[in-house]
Amino acid sequence: MNHLVAPSLLSADFLNLEKDIEMINASEADWFHLDIMDGVFVPNISFGFPVIEKIARIAKKPLDIHLMIVDPDRYLERFKKAGAYMISVHYEACTHLHRTLHAIQDLGVKAGVVLNPHTAVCLLEDIIKDVDMVLIMSVNPGFGGQKFIENSIHKIEQLRSLIRETNSQALIEVDGGVDLGNAVQLLNAGTDILVAGNTIFSSKNPTGTIRELKQI
Ligand code: DX5
Ligand code: ZN
């Protein structure tokens, strides 16, 4: 498939969120990437349901929800109601990952699993056929604008092999420090979806940067 681009709203202008959402609506971007942080799983707090519900009202593209929270099972239904297309949970936050992923799918929502930089791809061997997407974190989660961790390329290659060997349908998403300099390498390694926050929103022409990421 052609790769997708998912701008991360974490780097958007929260005083003018509507403007940035309309920019993404009118751009070549494919999904909205929403980062939900609880101040426990990661050392930062982002935004919650009231904001997501408002975003969903005007967003014309699927909402890709990245949960950086402990005990995500408690809130799955509310994220679905808030408008989620995809809900991704951290491997490191789920004691019963198989149950959590199927609970998401039972709600009619796509289910993703996220690996922190220190979490090995081989740990997915027994779950890869149950997931719709694997998100490889290429920074330690919690903040936008961090430096890309090079080992992520190797992890994406390993994940692409695992998906091929198991005939899994899982998509590969990469998140953190993605820019126009590493995007080609990430796509060559097997990435399907590029998440980008700082690269898009700190550029002079965000629509143009989305187009550049899309047209690689
Ligand atoms: C980090 C978030 C990312 C973040 C990416 O915890 O999961 O989605 O917004 O931001 P950049 O692209 O600026 O690294
Ligand atoms: Zn994210």
Side-chain angles (χ1 to χ4, degrees):
M1 73 171 217
N2 290 331
H3 69 275
L4 308 182
V5 172
S8 165
L9 286 183
L10 195 63
S11 297
D13 179 358
F14 285 99
L15 279 178
N16 292 285
L17 205 45
E18 183 169 8
K19 185 173 138 278
D20 282 345
I21 292 167
E22 292 300 356
M23 180 278 290
I24 294 170
N25 279 340
S27 76
E28 291 178 35
D30 299 279
W31 294 351
F32 287 84
H33 183 81
L34 305 191
D35 291 298
I36 313 304
M37 305 176 184
D38 66 356
V40 179
F41 182 70
V42 288
N44 200 4
I45 298 176
S46 57
F47 52 85
F49 297 110
V51 176
I52 302 168
E53 284 157 9
K54 292 288 187 323
I55 293 170
R57 267 167 46 181
I58 59 167
K60 298 203 178 98
K61 296 173 183 185
L63 303 188
D64 171 32
I65 298 197
H66 174 192
L67 296 185
M68 284 158 273
I69 66 174
V70 296
D71 203 3
D73 303 68
R74 291 170 65 192
Y75 299 107
L76 298 178
E77 212 163 325
R78 288 193 66 189
F79 283 111
K80 187 231 155 61
K81 282 205 182 111
Y85 165 75
M86 169 85 71
I87 298 175
S88 297
V89 294
H90 268 260
Y91 180 92
E92 304 83 10
C94 297
T95 309
H96 302 287
L97 182 61
H98 182 275
R99 179 187 290 153
T100 302
L101 292 168
H102 283 281
I104 296 170
Q105 290 165 338
D106 288 348
L107 291 169
V109 177
K110 305 256 183 227
V113 61
V114 193
L115 298 188
N116 270 339
H118 73 275
T119 305
V121 168
C122 62
L123 293 169
L124 296 177
E125 273 173 21
D126 292 304
I127 199 76
I128 193 71
K129 293 194 107 164
D130 297 273
V131 297
D132 298 300
M133 188 175 82
V134 178
L135 167 47
I136 298 287
M137 284 310 299
S138 40
V139 297
N140 285 295
F143 304 92
Q146 300 184 81
K147 190 176 175 302
F148 180 80
I149 297 172
E150 285 295 329
N151 185 52
S152 315
I153 307 262
H154 174 57
K155 289 178 76 175
I156 290 163
E157 287 166 352
Q158 285 180 316
L159 178 56
R160 181 49 71 202
S161 305
L162 178 63
I163 288 172
R164 200 179 299 120
E165 282 159 18
T166 54
N167 283 323
S168 158
Q169 297 297 308
L171 298 172
I172 302 177
E173 184 174 62
V174 62
D175 182 11
V178 172
D179 60 27
L180 288 161
N182 56 28
V184 176
Q185 228 186 333
L186 288 166
L187 294 171
N188 287 341
T191 301
D192 297 301
I193 304 128
L194 298 168
V195 174
N198 192 52
T199 292
I200 290 171
F201 288 100
S202 70
S203 75
K204 287 217 172 79
N205 176 2
T207 307
T209 304
I210 291 170
R211 181 177 308 125
E212 282 185 78
L213 285 168
K214 189 68 188 163
Q215 289 182 353
I216 293 168

